[in-house]
Amino acid sequence: LNHEYRGILIPVRDPKGRIQGLQIRRDNAARRKFRWVSSAGKKDGHRAEGWTHLAGKPQKEMILTEGPMKADVIAYLTGRAVLAVPGVNALAQLEKTLRYLKENGVEHIMTAFDMDFLKNPHVKNGYRELTCLLSAMGCRFGTYLWDPGYKGLDDYVLHCRDRGMPV
């Protein structure tokens, strides 16, 4: 295996719990830390899609974050269902997934992009596109905010849990 692809293998699950793709969180990657496993370039191969990921079973209120691994951590620490897009500007598959979830009882979405969405224009634009999509689909939604010293909700929830604070 090429050393560039060593890391943690992350299954990306559809709303029914089936693995639809795989990501690798690469060890020691300076950039593009997460890569899709793909057979593009192989005989009868196919490129990877920007799949959404669902950690846990759909609930009336769900959290929407960026990154399947982050979603798994948040779901594990909180017991909540967490939907993830692969990145802040990778929303291509989200509308289809949200439509399915709404048809299956999801009523409210709480967004939880990394806190740098307040300052980073790249993340801020992705967040704006996300809220436009949620509005256009008629979704009820809100946004979680937490201490910006903790980049992701996963980091903040872990911090709270380790100090015996409610999550």
Short mmCIF file of all heavy atoms in Angstrom, two decimals, residues 48-111:
data_model
loop_
_atom_site.label_atom_id
_atom_site.label_comp_id
_atom_site.label_asym_id
_atom_site.label_seq_id
_atom_site.Cartn_x
_atom_site.Cartn_y
_atom_site.Cartn_z
N ALA A 48 -15.37 7.92 -6.79
CA ALA A 48 -16.12 8.03 -5.54
C ALA A 48 -17.09 9.20 -5.64
O ALA A 48 -16.84 10.18 -6.34
CB ALA A 48 -15.18 8.23 -4.37
N GLU A 49 -18.19 9.10 -4.94
CA GLU A 49 -19.18 10.18 -4.86
C GLU A 49 -18.95 10.95 -3.56
O GLU A 49 -18.28 10.47 -2.66
CB GLU A 49 -20.59 9.59 -4.84
CG GLU A 49 -20.94 8.74 -6.05
CD GLU A 49 -21.16 9.57 -7.30
OE1 GLU A 49 -21.56 10.74 -7.20
OE2 GLU A 49 -20.91 9.03 -8.40
N GLY A 50 -19.55 12.11 -3.44
CA GLY A 50 -19.48 12.89 -2.19
C GLY A 50 -20.66 12.53 -1.32
O GLY A 50 -21.52 13.36 -1.04
N TRP A 51 -20.71 11.26 -0.88
CA TRP A 51 -21.86 10.76 -0.14
C TRP A 51 -22.05 11.45 1.20
O TRP A 51 -21.10 11.86 1.86
CB TRP A 51 -21.71 9.26 0.13
CG TRP A 51 -21.76 8.41 -1.09
CD1 TRP A 51 -22.85 8.11 -1.84
CD2 TRP A 51 -20.66 7.75 -1.70
NE1 TRP A 51 -22.50 7.30 -2.89
CE2 TRP A 51 -21.15 7.06 -2.83
CE3 TRP A 51 -19.30 7.67 -1.42
CZ2 TRP A 51 -20.35 6.30 -3.65
CZ3 TRP A 51 -18.50 6.91 -2.25
CH2 TRP A 51 -19.03 6.25 -3.35
N THR A 52 -23.30 11.50 1.61
CA THR A 52 -23.60 11.91 2.98
C THR A 52 -23.44 10.67 3.85
O THR A 52 -23.42 9.55 3.35
CB THR A 52 -25.05 12.44 3.10
OG1 THR A 52 -25.95 11.45 2.65
CG2 THR A 52 -25.22 13.72 2.30
N HIS A 53 -23.35 10.88 5.14
CA HIS A 53 -23.13 9.79 6.09
C HIS A 53 -24.11 9.96 7.24
O HIS A 53 -24.29 11.08 7.75
CB HIS A 53 -21.69 9.85 6.61
CG HIS A 53 -21.42 8.93 7.76
ND1 HIS A 53 -21.39 7.57 7.64
CD2 HIS A 53 -21.16 9.20 9.07
CE1 HIS A 53 -21.12 7.02 8.82
NE2 HIS A 53 -20.98 8.00 9.70
N LEU A 54 -24.72 8.87 7.67
CA LEU A 54 -25.60 8.92 8.83
C LEU A 54 -25.04 8.05 9.94
O LEU A 54 -24.83 6.86 9.76
CB LEU A 54 -27.02 8.46 8.47
CG LEU A 54 -28.01 8.55 9.62
CD1 LEU A 54 -28.22 9.99 10.07
CD2 LEU A 54 -29.34 7.94 9.23
N ALA A 55 -24.80 8.68 11.08
CA ALA A 55 -24.35 7.97 12.28
C ALA A 55 -25.54 7.86 13.21
O ALA A 55 -26.08 8.87 13.67
CB ALA A 55 -23.21 8.75 12.95
N GLY A 56 -26.00 6.65 13.44
CA GLY A 56 -27.17 6.42 14.28
C GLY A 56 -28.43 6.31 13.44
O GLY A 56 -28.41 6.48 12.23
N LYS A 57 -29.51 6.00 14.11
CA LYS A 57 -30.80 5.86 13.43
C LYS A 57 -31.48 7.24 13.38
O LYS A 57 -31.37 8.02 14.33
CB LYS A 57 -31.69 4.88 14.18
CG LYS A 57 -31.12 3.47 14.20
CD LYS A 57 -32.21 2.44 14.35
CE LYS A 57 -31.69 1.03 14.42
NZ LYS A 57 -30.94 0.57 13.31
N PRO A 58 -32.18 7.54 12.29
CA PRO A 58 -32.84 8.85 12.19
C PRO A 58 -33.74 9.13 13.39
O PRO A 58 -34.41 8.24 13.91
CB PRO A 58 -33.68 8.72 10.91
CG PRO A 58 -32.97 7.69 10.09
CD PRO A 58 -32.40 6.72 11.09
N GLN A 59 -33.70 10.37 13.86
CA GLN A 59 -34.52 10.84 14.98
C GLN A 59 -35.26 12.09 14.53
O GLN A 59 -34.88 12.71 13.53
CB GLN A 59 -33.63 11.16 16.18
CG GLN A 59 -32.83 9.98 16.69
CD GLN A 59 -31.77 10.37 17.72
OE1 GLN A 59 -31.45 11.54 17.89
NE2 GLN A 59 -31.20 9.38 18.38
N LYS A 60 -36.27 12.51 15.30
CA LYS A 60 -37.04 13.70 14.92
C LYS A 60 -36.15 14.92 14.77
O LYS A 60 -36.33 15.73 13.88
CB LYS A 60 -38.15 13.98 15.92
CG LYS A 60 -39.31 13.03 15.80
CD LYS A 60 -40.43 13.42 16.72
CE LYS A 60 -41.57 12.43 16.50
NZ LYS A 60 -42.78 12.86 17.15
N GLU A 61 -35.19 15.07 15.70
CA GLU A 61 -34.21 16.16 15.58
C GLU A 61 -32.85 15.54 15.35
O GLU A 61 -32.45 14.63 16.08
CB GLU A 61 -34.17 17.04 16.83
CG GLU A 61 -33.17 18.18 16.67
CD GLU A 61 -33.14 19.13 17.85
OE1 GLU A 61 -34.05 19.98 17.93
OE2 GLU A 61 -32.21 19.01 18.67
N MET A 62 -32.15 16.06 14.35
CA MET A 62 -30.82 15.52 14.02
C MET A 62 -29.80 16.64 13.95
O MET A 62 -30.14 17.79 13.73
CB MET A 62 -30.89 14.80 12.67
CG MET A 62 -31.77 13.57 12.76
SD MET A 62 -31.70 12.53 11.30
CE MET A 62 -29.96 12.26 11.12
N ILE A 63 -28.55 16.25 14.12
CA ILE A 63 -27.43 17.17 13.97
C ILE A 63 -26.85 16.97 12.58
O ILE A 63 -26.76 15.84 12.09
CB ILE A 63 -26.35 16.87 15.05
CG1 ILE A 63 -26.92 17.08 16.45
CG2 ILE A 63 -25.11 17.74 14.82
CD1 ILE A 63 -26.01 16.60 17.57
N LEU A 64 -26.45 18.05 11.93
CA LEU A 64 -25.80 18.00 10.63
C LEU A 64 -24.43 18.65 10.75
O LEU A 64 -24.31 19.81 11.12
CB LEU A 64 -26.64 18.74 9.59
CG LEU A 64 -26.04 18.91 8.20
CD1 LEU A 64 -25.76 17.56 7.55
CD2 LEU A 64 -26.96 19.73 7.32
N THR A 65 -23.39 17.87 10.46
CA THR A 65 -22.02 18.36 10.60
C THR A 65 -21.22 18.03 9.35
O THR A 65 -21.76 17.53 8.36
CB THR A 65 -21.35 17.77 11.87
OG1 THR A 65 -20.15 18.49 12.15
CG2 THR A 65 -21.06 16.28 11.72
N GLU A 66 -19.94 18.32 9.38
CA GLU A 66 -19.06 18.04 8.26
C GLU A 66 -18.10 16.91 8.64
O GLU A 66 -17.43 16.98 9.65
CB GLU A 66 -18.28 19.29 7.85
CG GLU A 66 -17.55 19.94 9.01
CD GLU A 66 -16.84 21.22 8.66
OE1 GLU A 66 -15.96 21.19 7.79
OE2 GLU A 66 -17.18 22.25 9.27
N GLY A 67 -18.12 15.85 7.83
CA GLY A 67 -17.19 14.75 8.03
C GLY A 67 -17.78 13.55 8.71
O GLY A 67 -18.31 13.67 9.82
N PRO A 68 -17.69 12.37 8.07
CA PRO A 68 -18.24 11.14 8.64
C PRO A 68 -17.59 10.75 9.97
O PRO A 68 -18.29 10.30 10.88
CB PRO A 68 -17.95 10.08 7.58
CG PRO A 68 -17.65 10.80 6.34
CD PRO A 68 -17.20 12.17 6.72
N MET A 69 -16.29 10.91 10.09
CA MET A 69 -15.63 10.52 11.34
C MET A 69 -16.12 11.40 12.49
O MET A 69 -16.40 10.92 13.59
CB MET A 69 -14.11 10.61 11.19
CG MET A 69 -13.37 9.99 12.36
SD MET A 69 -11.67 9.62 11.93
CE MET A 69 -10.84 10.93 12.77
N LYS A 70 -16.24 12.68 12.23
CA LYS A 70 -16.74 13.62 13.25
C LYS A 70 -18.17 13.25 13.65
O LYS A 70 -18.52 13.27 14.82
CB LYS A 70 -16.69 15.04 12.68
CG LYS A 70 -17.01 16.12 13.67
CD LYS A 70 -16.75 17.46 13.06
CE LYS A 70 -15.25 17.57 12.84
NZ LYS A 70 -14.76 18.88 12.57
N ALA A 71 -18.99 12.89 12.66
CA ALA A 71 -20.37 12.49 12.95
C ALA A 71 -20.41 11.26 13.84
O ALA A 71 -21.21 11.19 14.79
CB ALA A 71 -21.12 12.22 11.64
N ASP A 72 -19.56 10.29 13.56
CA ASP A 72 -19.52 9.07 14.38
C ASP A 72 -19.14 9.40 15.83
O ASP A 72 -19.71 8.85 16.77
CB ASP A 72 -18.53 8.06 13.80
CG ASP A 72 -19.04 7.37 12.55
OD1 ASP A 72 -20.26 7.41 12.28
OD2 ASP A 72 -18.21 6.80 11.81
N VAL A 73 -18.18 10.28 16.01
CA VAL A 73 -17.73 10.66 17.35
C VAL A 73 -18.87 11.36 18.10
O VAL A 73 -19.17 11.04 19.26
CB VAL A 73 -16.46 11.54 17.30
CG1 VAL A 73 -16.13 12.13 18.66
CG2 VAL A 73 -15.28 10.73 16.76
N ILE A 74 -19.51 12.34 17.44
CA ILE A 74 -20.60 13.08 18.08
C ILE A 74 -21.74 12.14 18.46
O ILE A 74 -22.29 12.20 19.56
CB ILE A 74 -21.11 14.22 17.17
CG1 ILE A 74 -20.00 15.27 16.96
CG2 ILE A 74 -22.36 14.87 17.75
CD1 ILE A 74 -20.29 16.26 15.84
N ALA A 75 -22.11 11.24 17.54
CA ALA A 75 -23.19 10.29 17.80
C ALA A 75 -22.85 9.39 18.98
O ALA A 75 -23.68 9.15 19.86
CB ALA A 75 -23.48 9.46 16.55
N TYR A 76 -21.61 8.93 19.02
CA TYR A 76 -21.19 8.05 20.12
C TYR A 76 -21.24 8.78 21.46
O TYR A 76 -21.72 8.23 22.46
CB TYR A 76 -19.77 7.53 19.85
CG TYR A 76 -19.24 6.69 20.99
CD1 TYR A 76 -19.64 5.37 21.15
CD2 TYR A 76 -18.36 7.24 21.91
CE1 TYR A 76 -19.18 4.61 22.21
CE2 TYR A 76 -17.88 6.48 22.98
CZ TYR A 76 -18.29 5.17 23.12
OH TYR A 76 -17.83 4.41 24.17
N LEU A 77 -20.75 10.01 21.49
CA LEU A 77 -20.67 10.76 22.75
C LEU A 77 -22.02 11.29 23.24
O LEU A 77 -22.21 11.49 24.43
CB LEU A 77 -19.68 11.92 22.62
CG LEU A 77 -18.21 11.53 22.44
CD1 LEU A 77 -17.37 12.77 22.15
CD2 LEU A 77 -17.69 10.80 23.67
N THR A 78 -22.95 11.52 22.31
CA THR A 78 -24.22 12.14 22.70
C THR A 78 -25.43 11.21 22.61
O THR A 78 -26.47 11.52 23.18
CB THR A 78 -24.51 13.36 21.80
OG1 THR A 78 -24.73 12.91 20.46
CG2 THR A 78 -23.41 14.39 21.86
N GLY A 79 -25.31 10.13 21.85
CA GLY A 79 -26.46 9.26 21.62
C GLY A 79 -27.44 9.84 20.61
O GLY A 79 -28.53 9.31 20.41
N ARG A 80 -27.07 10.94 19.97
CA ARG A 80 -27.93 11.60 18.98
C ARG A 80 -27.60 11.09 17.58
O ARG A 80 -26.49 10.64 17.31
CB ARG A 80 -27.67 13.11 19.01
CG ARG A 80 -27.88 13.78 20.35
CD ARG A 80 -29.27 14.30 20.60
NE ARG A 80 -29.80 15.12 19.54
CZ ARG A 80 -29.57 16.43 19.39
NH1 ARG A 80 -28.80 17.07 20.25
NH2 ARG A 80 -30.11 17.10 18.39
N ALA A 81 -28.56 11.18 16.68
CA ALA A 81 -28.32 10.85 15.27
C ALA A 81 -27.63 12.04 14.61
O ALA A 81 -28.02 13.19 14.83
CB ALA A 81 -29.63 10.55 14.56
N VAL A 82 -26.60 11.76 13.82
CA VAL A 82 -25.83 12.82 13.20
C VAL A 82 -25.66 12.52 11.71
O VAL A 82 -25.20 11.45 11.33
CB VAL A 82 -24.43 12.96 13.86
CG1 VAL A 82 -23.67 14.14 13.26
CG2 VAL A 82 -24.56 13.13 15.38
N LEU A 83 -26.04 13.49 10.91
CA LEU A 83 -25.86 13.42 9.46
C LEU A 83 -24.62 14.23 9.12
O LEU A 83 -24.40 15.29 9.70
CB LEU A 83 -27.09 14.01 8.77
CG LEU A 83 -27.07 14.10 7.25
CD1 LEU A 83 -26.98 12.71 6.62
CD2 LEU A 83 -28.30 14.85 6.76
N ALA A 84 -23.81 13.73 8.19
CA ALA A 84 -22.60 14.46 7.80
C ALA A 84 -22.50 14.59 6.30
O ALA A 84 -22.82 13.67 5.56
CB ALA A 84 -21.36 13.74 8.33
N VAL A 85 -22.05 15.77 5.87
CA VAL A 85 -21.61 15.95 4.50
C VAL A 85 -20.11 15.74 4.51
O VAL A 85 -19.47 15.90 5.55
CB VAL A 85 -21.99 17.35 3.96
CG1 VAL A 85 -23.51 17.49 3.84
CG2 VAL A 85 -21.43 18.47 4.82
N PRO A 86 -19.51 15.36 3.37
CA PRO A 86 -18.07 15.09 3.39
C PRO A 86 -17.21 16.32 3.64
O PRO A 86 -16.09 16.21 4.11
CB PRO A 86 -17.78 14.51 2.00
CG PRO A 86 -19.02 14.61 1.22
CD PRO A 86 -20.13 15.05 2.10
N GLY A 87 -17.73 17.50 3.35
CA GLY A 87 -17.01 18.74 3.58
C GLY A 87 -17.98 19.90 3.45
O GLY A 87 -19.11 19.73 2.96
N VAL A 88 -17.56 21.08 3.85
CA VAL A 88 -18.48 22.22 3.89
C VAL A 88 -19.03 22.61 2.52
O VAL A 88 -20.11 23.18 2.43
CB VAL A 88 -17.82 23.46 4.55
CG1 VAL A 88 -17.54 23.20 6.00
CG2 VAL A 88 -16.58 23.90 3.80
N ASN A 89 -18.30 22.33 1.46
CA ASN A 89 -18.76 22.67 0.13
C ASN A 89 -19.11 21.44 -0.69
O ASN A 89 -19.15 21.50 -1.91
CB ASN A 89 -17.72 23.53 -0.59
CG ASN A 89 -17.64 24.91 0.02
OD1 ASN A 89 -18.63 25.63 0.06
ND2 ASN A 89 -16.48 25.27 0.53
N ALA A 90 -19.38 20.33 -0.04
CA ALA A 90 -19.73 19.08 -0.73
C ALA A 90 -21.16 18.71 -0.38
O ALA A 90 -21.42 17.82 0.41
CB ALA A 90 -18.75 17.98 -0.33
N LEU A 91 -22.09 19.45 -0.97
CA LEU A 91 -23.50 19.29 -0.62
C LEU A 91 -24.30 18.56 -1.70
O LEU A 91 -25.52 18.48 -1.62
CB LEU A 91 -24.13 20.66 -0.36
CG LEU A 91 -23.43 21.55 0.68
CD1 LEU A 91 -24.16 22.88 0.82
CD2 LEU A 91 -23.32 20.85 2.02
N ALA A 92 -23.63 18.01 -2.71
CA ALA A 92 -24.31 17.44 -3.88
C ALA A 92 -25.33 16.35 -3.53
O ALA A 92 -26.40 16.30 -4.11
CB ALA A 92 -23.29 16.90 -4.87
N GLN A 93 -25.02 15.49 -2.59
CA GLN A 93 -25.91 14.38 -2.24
C GLN A 93 -26.88 14.72 -1.10
O GLN A 93 -27.77 13.94 -0.78
CB GLN A 93 -25.07 13.16 -1.81
CG GLN A 93 -24.12 12.67 -2.86
CD GLN A 93 -24.83 11.96 -3.99
OE1 GLN A 93 -25.85 11.31 -3.78
NE2 GLN A 93 -24.31 12.08 -5.19
N LEU A 94 -26.72 15.89 -0.52
CA LEU A 94 -27.48 16.23 0.69
C LEU A 94 -28.97 16.35 0.44
O LEU A 94 -29.77 15.86 1.24
CB LEU A 94 -26.94 17.52 1.32
CG LEU A 94 -27.60 17.93 2.63
CD1 LEU A 94 -27.45 16.84 3.68
CD2 LEU A 94 -26.99 19.24 3.12
N GLU A 95 -29.39 16.97 -0.64
CA GLU A 95 -30.82 17.17 -0.89
C GLU A 95 -31.57 15.83 -0.94
O GLU A 95 -32.62 15.67 -0.33
CB GLU A 95 -31.05 17.94 -2.18
CG GLU A 95 -32.50 18.26 -2.42
CD GLU A 95 -32.73 19.17 -3.61
OE1 GLU A 95 -31.76 19.68 -4.20
OE2 GLU A 95 -33.91 19.36 -3.96
N LYS A 96 -30.99 14.87 -1.63
CA LYS A 96 -31.61 13.54 -1.73
C LYS A 96 -31.74 12.89 -0.35
O LYS A 96 -32.77 12.34 0.01
CB LYS A 96 -30.76 12.66 -2.66
CG LYS A 96 -31.24 11.26 -2.82
CD LYS A 96 -30.33 10.54 -3.81
CE LYS A 96 -30.15 9.11 -3.40
NZ LYS A 96 -29.19 8.39 -4.19
N THR A 97 -30.70 12.98 0.45
CA THR A 97 -30.71 12.39 1.80
C THR A 97 -31.73 13.10 2.69
O THR A 97 -32.49 12.44 3.41
CB THR A 97 -29.31 12.46 2.43
OG1 THR A 97 -28.38 11.79 1.57
CG2 THR A 97 -29.29 11.81 3.80
N LEU A 98 -31.76 14.43 2.63
CA LEU A 98 -32.72 15.18 3.45
C LEU A 98 -34.16 14.84 3.07
O LEU A 98 -35.02 14.72 3.94
CB LEU A 98 -32.48 16.69 3.33
CG LEU A 98 -31.24 17.23 4.04
CD1 LEU A 98 -31.02 18.68 3.66
CD2 LEU A 98 -31.35 17.07 5.55
N ARG A 99 -34.41 14.70 1.78
CA ARG A 99 -35.75 14.33 1.33
C ARG A 99 -36.16 12.99 1.95
O ARG A 99 -37.26 12.84 2.48
CB ARG A 99 -35.78 14.25 -0.20
CG ARG A 99 -37.15 14.50 -0.78
CD ARG A 99 -37.18 14.58 -2.31
NE ARG A 99 -36.23 15.51 -2.87
CZ ARG A 99 -35.19 15.17 -3.65
NH1 ARG A 99 -34.98 13.92 -3.97
NH2 ARG A 99 -34.38 16.08 -4.12
N TYR A 100 -35.26 12.02 1.90
CA TYR A 100 -35.52 10.70 2.49
C TYR A 100 -35.78 10.82 3.99
O TYR A 100 -36.72 10.23 4.52
CB TYR A 100 -34.34 9.76 2.22
CG TYR A 100 -34.48 8.43 2.92
CD1 TYR A 100 -35.19 7.39 2.34
CD2 TYR A 100 -33.93 8.24 4.18
CE1 TYR A 100 -35.34 6.17 3.00
CE2 TYR A 100 -34.07 7.02 4.85
CZ TYR A 100 -34.77 6.00 4.25
OH TYR A 100 -34.93 4.80 4.91
N LEU A 101 -34.95 11.58 4.68
CA LEU A 101 -35.09 11.72 6.14
C LEU A 101 -36.39 12.41 6.52
O LEU A 101 -37.07 12.00 7.46
CB LEU A 101 -33.88 12.45 6.72
CG LEU A 101 -32.56 11.69 6.67
CD1 LEU A 101 -31.40 12.58 7.07
CD2 LEU A 101 -32.61 10.43 7.52
N LYS A 102 -36.77 13.46 5.77
CA LYS A 102 -38.05 14.14 6.05
C LYS A 102 -39.22 13.19 5.86
O LYS A 102 -40.16 13.19 6.64
CB LYS A 102 -38.20 15.36 5.13
CG LYS A 102 -37.41 16.58 5.59
CD LYS A 102 -37.63 17.76 4.67
CE LYS A 102 -39.03 18.29 4.83
NZ LYS A 102 -39.30 19.52 4.07
N GLU A 103 -39.16 12.36 4.82
CA GLU A 103 -40.22 11.39 4.56
C GLU A 103 -40.29 10.32 5.66
O GLU A 103 -41.30 9.65 5.81
CB GLU A 103 -40.00 10.70 3.21
CG GLU A 103 -40.23 11.60 2.02
CD GLU A 103 -39.73 11.01 0.71
OE1 GLU A 103 -39.23 9.85 0.70
OE2 GLU A 103 -39.83 11.72 -0.31
N ASN A 104 -39.20 10.19 6.43
CA ASN A 104 -39.13 9.17 7.47
C ASN A 104 -39.11 9.77 8.88
O ASN A 104 -38.53 9.19 9.80
CB ASN A 104 -37.93 8.26 7.23
CG ASN A 104 -38.19 7.32 6.07
OD1 ASN A 104 -38.84 6.30 6.23
ND2 ASN A 104 -37.75 7.70 4.87
N GLY A 105 -39.73 10.94 9.04
CA GLY A 105 -39.99 11.47 10.36
C GLY A 105 -39.04 12.52 10.91
O GLY A 105 -39.27 13.02 12.01
N VAL A 106 -37.99 12.88 10.19
CA VAL A 106 -37.08 13.92 10.69
C VAL A 106 -37.79 15.27 10.54
O VAL A 106 -38.28 15.60 9.47
CB VAL A 106 -35.73 13.90 9.95
CG1 VAL A 106 -34.87 15.08 10.38
CG2 VAL A 106 -35.01 12.59 10.22
N GLU A 107 -37.85 16.02 11.65
CA GLU A 107 -38.58 17.29 11.66
C GLU A 107 -37.70 18.51 11.80
O GLU A 107 -38.09 19.62 11.43
CB GLU A 107 -39.60 17.28 12.81
CG GLU A 107 -40.65 16.20 12.69
CD GLU A 107 -41.56 16.12 13.91
OE1 GLU A 107 -41.36 16.90 14.87
OE2 GLU A 107 -42.46 15.27 13.90
N HIS A 108 -36.51 18.33 12.38
CA HIS A 108 -35.68 19.49 12.70
C HIS A 108 -34.20 19.12 12.54
O HIS A 108 -33.79 18.05 12.97
CB HIS A 108 -35.97 19.93 14.15
CG HIS A 108 -35.43 21.26 14.50
ND1 HIS A 108 -34.36 21.43 15.34
CD2 HIS A 108 -35.81 22.51 14.13
CE1 HIS A 108 -34.11 22.72 15.48
NE2 HIS A 108 -34.97 23.40 14.75
N ILE A 109 -33.44 20.03 11.95
CA ILE A 109 -32.00 19.84 11.75
C ILE A 109 -31.25 20.93 12.52
O ILE A 109 -31.58 22.12 12.40
CB ILE A 109 -31.63 19.96 10.25
CG1 ILE A 109 -32.40 18.98 9.38
CG2 ILE A 109 -30.12 19.86 10.04
CD1 ILE A 109 -31.98 17.55 9.51
N MET A 110 -30.26 20.51 13.30
CA MET A 110 -29.38 21.47 13.96
C MET A 110 -28.02 21.39 13.28
O MET A 110 -27.36 20.35 13.32
CB MET A 110 -29.24 21.14 15.46
CG MET A 110 -30.49 21.44 16.27
SD MET A 110 -31.01 23.18 16.21
CE MET A 110 -29.66 23.99 17.08
N THR A 111 -27.62 22.47 12.63
CA THR A 111 -26.33 22.47 11.94
C THR A 111 -25.21 22.64 12.96
O THR A 111 -25.37 23.31 13.98
CB THR A 111 -26.24 23.59 10.88
OG1 THR A 111 -26.28 24.86 11.52
CG2 THR A 111 -27.37 23.47 9.87
#
